[in-house]
Amino acid sequence: MLRRTVATVLQALLALATTPSRAQDCAFAAQGEGHVAGVIDGRSFRLADGREIKLAGIEPVASDGKKAGRTADLSAIIADKDVNLRGEDDAPDRYGRQNAFVFLAGSETPVQSLLLKEGAALVSSEITEKACGTALLAAEAEARQGQKGAW
């Protein structure tokens, strides 16, 4: 009986550790919303209102493991969709892009987690929010264990 209980608890903890990050894990302030007009590269896209958005917290990688734009991976997820933006600061970077965690309208899972789960990105060292970083690392670990994408 005790062995079964311990096994059940361990399975539940493993499931939590590999669950992709949700809105509460990356609980940043709302930065607005928009409609995706086009994908620029593996982590940047343009909204219909002209804003350029850079996905915060990740670095895209090619299937050979090298850093590269994975435009097709990002396009498959967000092309022509409505998105919500969240982040620590909505000030543009030196290239005029707004860094944000991006959520498809109606979803609680960041687009970053979806890319990480497919092995199309790695977690960046620039994440300052511990819970968010932990959740993104769990999504990356899922791809690594499943040998997806760059793994």
Side-chain angles (χ1 to χ4, degrees):
M1 178 74 171
L2 180 61
R3 181 178 282 169
R4 184 178 299 159
T5 303
V6 170
T8 302
V9 170
L10 287 175
Q11 286 177 330
L13 288 173
L14 181 59
L16 285 173
T18 58
T19 300
S21 73
R22 299 171 310 268
Q24 66 261 24
D25 295 324
C26 296
F28 298 108
Q31 292 183 342
E33 55 191 41
H35 185 80
V36 177
V39 174
I40 298 168
D41 59 33
R43 70 173 171 189
S44 302
F45 60 94
R46 184 172 289 108
L47 295 175
D49 65 9
R51 286 182 290 167
E52 285 190 17
I53 309 300
K54 176 183 165 192
L55 296 174
I58 63 167
E59 298 291 336
V61 293
S63 58
D64 61 6
K66 296 179 181 174
K67 272 185 157 181
R70 298 277 305 244
T71 307
D73 294 316
L74 184 56
S75 290
I77 296 170
I78 67 168
D80 201 33
K81 302 237 170 86
D82 292 325
V83 295
N84 297 312
L85 310 173
R86 298 182 188 164
E88 294 180 89
D89 182 11
D90 64 355
D93 66 11
R94 66 182 177 169
Y95 303 107
R97 300 172 300 188
Q98 178 181 342
N99 290 304
F101 285 89
V102 178
F103 297 80
L104 295 173
S107 174
E108 291 298 313
T109 302
V111 169
Q112 286 88 328
S113 286
L114 300 175
L115 290 169
L116 289 164
K117 282 178 58 176
E118 293 303 316
L122 301 174
V123 176
S124 170
S125 62
E126 297 175 8
I127 298 175
T128 58
E129 215 301 306
K130 187 175 181 177
C132 184
T134 300
L136 293 177
L137 285 169
E140 181 183 292
E142 185 176 330
R144 189 177 316 120
Q145 290 169 352
Q147 297 183 333
K148 294 181 178 180
W151 301 105

